[in-house]
Amino acid sequence: MRRARRSDRARFRGRLLLLLVVSALALPVRASALTVAAMPLEEMTGYATLVVRARCIDRQVTRSPDGRIESLARFTVLEEAKGSATGVVTVRQLGGRIEDRELVVPGAPLSEPGDDVVLFLEPYDGEVLGVVGLALGYMPVAVLPGSGAAVRVARTLGGSFASGGVRPVTELLERVRGIVTQQGTR
Amino acid sequence: MRRLLATLAAVLSAALSVSVPATRADAYAFLYVPSSQGVPRRWNLPELADGRVPWVIAAAVGGNVTGDRSPLDVVSAAFASWEVVTSSTIAFGFQGTTGARERSARDGVNLVTLGAQESLGSGVLAATFLTSDAAGKLVDVDIVFGRGIAFSTSVSADPGSYDLEAIATHEVGHFLGLEHSGLSRATMVPFSDRGDAHQRTPESDDRIGASVLYPADGFLAGTGALAGRITIAGAPVFLSHVVVANVNGPIVASTLSAPDGSYRVEGLAPDVYVVYAEPLDGPVAPGNVSGFRAGFGGNPSTGYGTFFH
């Protein structure tokens, strides 16, 4: 019986090791995106005219004269890392619902009131701003017990974030400020 | 040894939580883009002429597209790559070129455009706009490629450009109703490199998704499903990446857990499988599966590692 257990255990360990190898193979290692070009943090910061932590106030869905459904989300700026905002910014988002018609763009975030996010923003149309790289420039903030406000960073951001994982928001914003100083754009 | 014990503890924990039956029978795989009613968006093929989804391509093409094939040939090949999935009935019908180059959500024309002036945002290579009713029936889908992006139509991938066929195949996957995949070798993974052409051919995860959405005769009867629930200390885990691998190694399919922690992977051929659950922690991240999140609402769970079962 004991021998049988050892055999099962060995087989289980073998499968576990195999799975670990398989999962390692499943990890993406490429540097660019199919729908979006995954950019390192320096490049995203360079594209953005405004990098802020902000909270969504509301999101209005509109239909343009040519029939396009899109959303305009308003955010209260909580903290700036690049550029300056007047307190509330309006951001164009792809998708929304009007009557019986729903538009969705896979990979394009849609905000809900109360959402706490770090936004990399660029000019779109007048006062309305766009998000750099769809989901790449839209990082939801979660408040974790004991560790405070944090964001899940993509490995593609590179540098000190190359290992991915969950990092404090303050670390991300400080890194952006450092890049801005290096790039001399502020 | 301590690490092994910790891993085994995680396995046991996962085994206990995964064995709980799903409480939500319609916890669809994240392969799909759910409507506001939580059902997959898809075409109603029987009501379409010849059961084919029509599409047109804009005649105007920007100077950013180079290579030895025409954009129409490349995009046609992308559509065809999904039609050859024999376990799926999805089919498309090319309707010709059009002078229109900008998308519209209510003209009922499924447009593919490489000449749009619309700004998709910095770094965006392409986007697919799916319009449906609340019950999930697709009524208008447009594929827009980013302006100013260097695309190659060449048969041999150009290391200096994005491979148009690979990207088009991915976008056609959205066109038929698939979401992004967290598996790096899948066509529906949202990441690629310049010169990377591997997404030209749908992989297992992609083929199963297309087959479950549009099953050929006998497909559902001849396959099974794996279902369960991901929990930590009894609390449901939302947006956990659940991966199904053949016991001998190859990954077969994956999904995401619903807000109540339940998951369900359909279309699996009879075999022995192992399942593991992990955080969706990048490069494919919750933002990359926004369609799935929007369909269910809620925010992803955080603060856990990989569980094997």
Side-chain angles (χ1 to χ4, degrees):
Chain A
M1 182 64 103
R2 181 174 285 180
R3 192 172 298 165
R5 263 190 209 151
R6 276 185 189 156
S7 172
D8 286 347
R9 213 173 282 168
R11 199 178 307 143
F12 181 78
R13 281 181 192 166
R15 283 182 184 174
L16 196 59
L17 281 173
L18 181 62
L19 272 172
L20 288 170
V21 171
V22 167
S23 3
L25 290 174
L27 292 176
V29 294
R30 290 155 293 159
S32 298
L34 187 59
T35 50
V36 290
M39 294 170 275
L41 189 59
E42 286 77 6
E43 193 175 347
M44 284 180 55
T45 303
Y47 276 125
T49 53
L50 187 64
V51 180
V52 295
R53 179 183 174 187
R55 179 169 287 116
C56 181
I57 302 168
D58 55 24
R59 178 169 58 87
Q60 303 292 328
V61 184
T62 65
R63 190 189 281 278
S64 64
D66 57 3
R68 293 178 180 172
I69 296 173
E70 61 184 25
S71 292
L72 295 176
R74 294 192 306 148
F75 290 85
T76 300
V77 174
L78 304 176
E79 188 176 354
E80 299 163 346
K82 180 180 181 182
S84 58
T86 55
V88 174
V89 293
T90 303
V91 178
R92 178 219 189 198
Q93 298 185 327
L94 301 178
R97 178 183 182 183
I98 292 182
E99 297 165 353
D100 188 40
R101 284 291 176 263
E102 300 180 356
L103 174 69
V104 65
V105 179
L110 285 176
S111 301
E112 297 300 332
D115 283 357
D116 187 354
V117 290
V118 172
L119 297 167
F120 289 70
L121 300 170
E122 62 184 351
Y124 173 67
D125 184 14
E127 301 267 300
V128 178
L129 300 168
V131 180
V132 174
L134 293 179
L136 289 177
Y138 186 97
M139 303 180 186
V141 174
V143 179
L144 304 177
S147 59
V151 289
R152 197 177 280 288
V153 296
R155 298 185 187 96
T156 48
L157 293 181
S160 58
F161 298 122
S163 58
V166 176
R167 300 293 186 87
V169 172
T170 51
E171 182 184 344
L172 174 65
L173 296 181
E174 275 307 307
R175 181 74 192 107
V176 169
R177 290 186 185 103
I179 292 169
V180 170
T181 302
Q182 285 174 358
Q183 294 178 341
T185 54
R186 190 179 196 187
Chain B
M1 184 62 178
R2 189 176 295 172
R3 187 178 298 171
L4 179 61
L5 288 174
T7 307
L8 289 174
V11 171
L12 184 60
S13 165
L16 291 172
S17 55
V18 171
S19 64
V20 177
T23 54
R24 182 187 174 119
D26 59 347
Y28 293 102
F30 88 112
L31 285 165
Y32 317 135
V33 188
S35 74
S36 61
Q37 294 179 359
V39 295
R41 286 184 169 87
R42 66 179 122 197
W43 294 99
N44 185 3
L45 297 181
E47 74 177 22
L48 300 173
D50 299 327
R52 293 177 174 274
V53 187
W55 63 279
V56 301
I57 190 167
V61 176
N64 54 314
V65 183
T66 58
D68 52 24
R69 291 182 293 173
S70 74
L72 173 58
D73 286 346
V74 170
V75 173
S76 296
F79 277 101
S81 71
W82 291 97
E83 291 181 314
V84 298
V85 179
T86 55
S87 51
S88 171
T89 60
I90 190 67
F92 306 99
F94 176 56
Q95 303 290 303
T97 57
T98 174
R101 58 165 64 182
E102 306 296 334
R103 67 181 171 91
S104 171
R106 59 182 175 189
D107 60 5
V109 174
N110 304 314
L111 175 70
V112 178
T113 175
L114 286 124
Q117 294 301 304
E118 177 181 10
S119 170
L120 299 175
S122 295
V124 179
L125 306 181
T128 301
F129 297 78
L130 298 102
T131 305
S132 73
D133 60 21
K137 186 175 81 170
L138 291 168
V139 295
D140 187 309
V141 178
D142 300 316
I143 297 175
V144 180
F145 289 87
R147 62 184 186 189
I149 303 290
F151 290 115
S152 170
T153 64
S154 295
V155 174
S156 300
D158 173 0
S161 303
Y162 291 97
D163 189 75
L164 183 63
E165 185 175 340
I167 295 168
T169 305
H170 173 98
E171 298 305 329
V172 173
H174 290 316
F175 186 101
L176 60 88
L178 298 182
E179 243 289 11
H180 285 142
S181 170
L183 300 177
S184 66
R185 299 306 299 173
T187 287
M188 296 313 295
V189 69
F191 296 92
S192 178
D193 263 340
R194 285 182 173 86
D196 184 353
H198 92 269
Q199 278 121 328
R200 290 182 181 182
T201 305
E203 290 294 321
S204 171
D205 189 48
D206 310 303
R207 295 194 301 269
I208 288 174
S211 303
V212 173
L213 275 179
Y214 308 97
D217 286 346
F219 175 75
L220 294 178
T223 58
L226 276 173
R229 191 165 177 236
I230 309 297
T231 63
I232 298 176
V237 177
F238 179 37
L239 282 185
S240 181
H241 188 212
V242 181
V243 180
V244 177
N246 187 285
V247 72
N248 294 318
I251 289 175
V252 177
S254 71
T255 188
L256 288 180
S257 58
D260 65 357
S262 64
Y263 70 87
R264 182 178 179 84
V265 182
E266 297 179 299
L268 299 172
D271 209 332
V272 180
Y273 297 99
V274 287
V275 177
Y276 66 87
E278 61 180 2
L280 194 66
D281 59 356
V284 179
N288 297 124
V289 290
S290 54
F292 182 86
R293 266 188 77 191
F296 282 115
N299 288 311
S301 305
T302 57
Y304 62 99
T306 301
F307 296 159
F308 288 90
H309 178 55

